Amino acid sequence: MLNKLKGLNPNMKFYNIHSEEFKKYGRVLDIDTSEIVSECEKTERPESGSQYMMSVPELENLNCSEKIKELAFGGCKAQIGLCHGYNSMMNALEFHKSSEINVAATPLVLLLGLEYEMSGNEYAAENIKAFYLEKGDAVEVYGTSLHFCPCQTEDGGFSCVVVLPEGTNDVLDKASDDKLLFRKNKWLICHEDNRALIDRGAYPGIHGENYKVEY
């Protein structure tokens, strides 16, 4: 599949998560994800677009969940959520002051950048790299990595478990002077052509091509 994606997307830099290149962005986790992937398969995807749920009780109550939380944040309170649906576009990039654990419940692509590649609040899209995950792969995406909604590699859409410190992505209690702080522990820039996110208050800091993953 990786070679197919490379062929269909010659304008993008495509890698496997087991490549040396991924080590700047995160690390591959050696854990059994079969239970959590199986539970994700029971969850109906939205009819269109993508949906993010911060905390999903059915995932948090699994036998493997405490081990995943311990691995992620060493005993600190964490939430296990789900991002799923349909998406092929970069559209935006976000980062947290923490790592994020992703478990691919379907094959998917993560579009990743690095915080140090930003110039102030601006980011050149040409720096983006694409990483392919097989179904069942688990990765830690470092807090210095820019990321956003996964991209699908099949018509049925994508499904990705998201583990973060408790409260991340919740609504802010008060307005912030930081123009990139979009939600709790969520700093966000969107593509300059993404009017929907701009209208919601996102800063249009990504310039260049708004990449679309062809599959």
Side-chain angles (χ1 to χ4, degrees), residues 14-95:
F14 255 95
Y15 301 90
N16 189 291
I17 56 169
H18 302 285
S19 66
E20 283 294 313
E21 191 64 31
F22 185 66
K23 291 181 178 179
K24 292 186 290 187
Y25 301 85
R27 67 185 179 109
V28 179
L29 302 178
D30 183 17
I31 56 174
D32 183 358
T33 62
S34 56
E35 183 184 27
I36 203 163
V37 167
S38 179
E39 186 61 38
C40 289
E41 291 173 341
K42 301 174 186 177
T43 305
E44 186 175 354
R45 290 177 200 151
E47 292 185 3
S48 62
S50 60
Q51 177 188 39
Y52 171 66
M53 297 173 281
M54 285 174 47
S55 177
V56 179
E58 291 82 0
L59 299 180
E60 294 189 333
N61 293 331
L62 296 173
N63 292 329
C64 65
S65 294
E66 286 305 313
K67 180 63 177 177
I68 292 175
K69 288 181 179 181
E70 179 184 341
L71 178 67
F73 303 112
C76 292
K77 291 185 177 180
Q79 61 197 30
I80 299 181
L82 181 66
C83 186
H84 65 166
Y86 305 89
N87 179 58
S88 297
M89 303 294 296
M90 175 178 64
N91 282 330
L93 293 167
E94 68 181 32
F95 59 95

Side-chain angles (χ1 to χ4, degrees), residues 179-191:
K179 65 177 65 177
L180 302 191
L181 185 58
F182 195 70
R183 297 269 180 152
K184 290 183 178 179
N185 193 27
K186 178 191 182 87
W187 287 260
L188 176 75
I189 55 174
C190 70
H191 193 274

